[in-house]
Amino acid sequence: MTDRTIGYIVGSISSTSINRRLAKALEHLAPAGMRLVEIPIADLPFYSPDQDADFPQAARDFKKAIDDVDGVIIVTPEYSRSIPGVLKNALDWSARPYGQMSFNGKPTAVIGTSGGGIATAAAQQHLKAILSHYNSPTLGQPEGYVQSTPGLFTETGEVTNDQTAEFLVGYLEAFRALVDRYAPVAVAA
């Protein structure tokens, strides 16, 4: 089994984000041979086509971070029944300049948590539509709608509910299978 490096993007820049805690839990629960690394979005300026000819360094670093990983997990909250603006901004940077989409062919998974019963279902559907446009193979099952309760995730990545921890490990294993399916194959010269 080949080691895989998986990037994760947290769609919230809040210092108290429960989705950041979920991301840390995924990092903590990653099975052997899978390493999770954050791809930060907080420093990205607002996207404008005026910058396509001369991308700012933060955007170049963001696109390189996506290129450097085997797959990407996007951990998103739901804002007004959709994805947060900072996440949409990051995705816009990833798709530019025209013809240089960072997510083209890159395996992705979408997950999120909220206190509500349907968690982040509406945001995830919007996000999956964007990723489909980007030609990104996206994990369909299991779906990652995690209802957060107080104390479910600790700041250090511990999950206090065994069923939730078991689900998250299974989620990571399913994503690894998707990443393995789309991994480039080495060809002898």
Side-chain angles (χ1 to χ4, degrees):
M1 186 181 295
T2 304
D3 287 348
R4 299 286 181 213
T5 301
I6 304 299
Y8 67 87
I9 297 171
V10 179
S12 169
I13 57 173
S14 169
S15 63
T16 60
S17 170
I18 58 175
N19 281 277
R20 177 160 303 285
R21 286 185 179 202
L22 171 57
K24 289 297 181 187
L26 291 169
E27 189 175 349
H28 180 76
L29 293 169
M34 179 186 274
R35 181 175 69 96
L36 272 68
V37 296
E38 184 171 5
I39 300 174
I41 63 173
D43 292 337
L44 289 169
F46 289 126
Y47 171 74
S48 169
D50 296 342
Q51 299 177 67
D52 281 356
D54 186 23
F55 256 42
Q57 187 64 47
R60 288 195 304 265
D61 292 346
F62 176 67
K63 289 179 70 72
K64 182 173 183 337
I66 294 169
D67 289 343
D68 288 348
V69 295
D70 298 303
V72 177
I73 298 172
I74 302 177
V75 185
T76 187
E78 185 170 293
Y79 290 5
S80 303
R81 295 285 190 241
S82 190
I83 61 173
V86 294
L87 178 56
K88 179 62 169 78
N89 183 60
L91 293 170
D92 288 342
W93 278 113
S94 79
R96 295 296 185 190
Y98 182 79
Q100 297 179 31
M101 281 193 252
S102 300
F103 282 98
N104 184 29
K106 181 74 63 174
T108 58
V110 176
I111 192 168
T113 187
S114 76
I118 61 168
T120 58
Q124 289 188 42
Q125 290 307 310
H126 287 182
L127 182 52
K128 287 177 180 179
I130 295 167
L131 293 169
S132 173
H133 171 69
Y134 287 175
N135 194 37
S136 177
T138 304
L139 181 65
Q141 295 294 326
E143 294 178 304
Y145 310 133
V146 180
Q147 184 176 13
S148 183
T149 55
L152 178 61
F153 306 112
T154 68
E155 289 183 33
T156 59
E158 298 290 328
V159 181
T160 61
N161 178 288
D162 291 341
Q163 285 181 303
T164 301
E166 184 179 316
F167 168 78
L168 294 175
V169 168
Y171 183 89
L172 289 168
E173 289 170 348
F175 185 53
R176 182 189 178 102
L178 180 74
V179 170
D180 288 348
R181 196 171 325 136
Y182 284 90
V185 176
V187 178

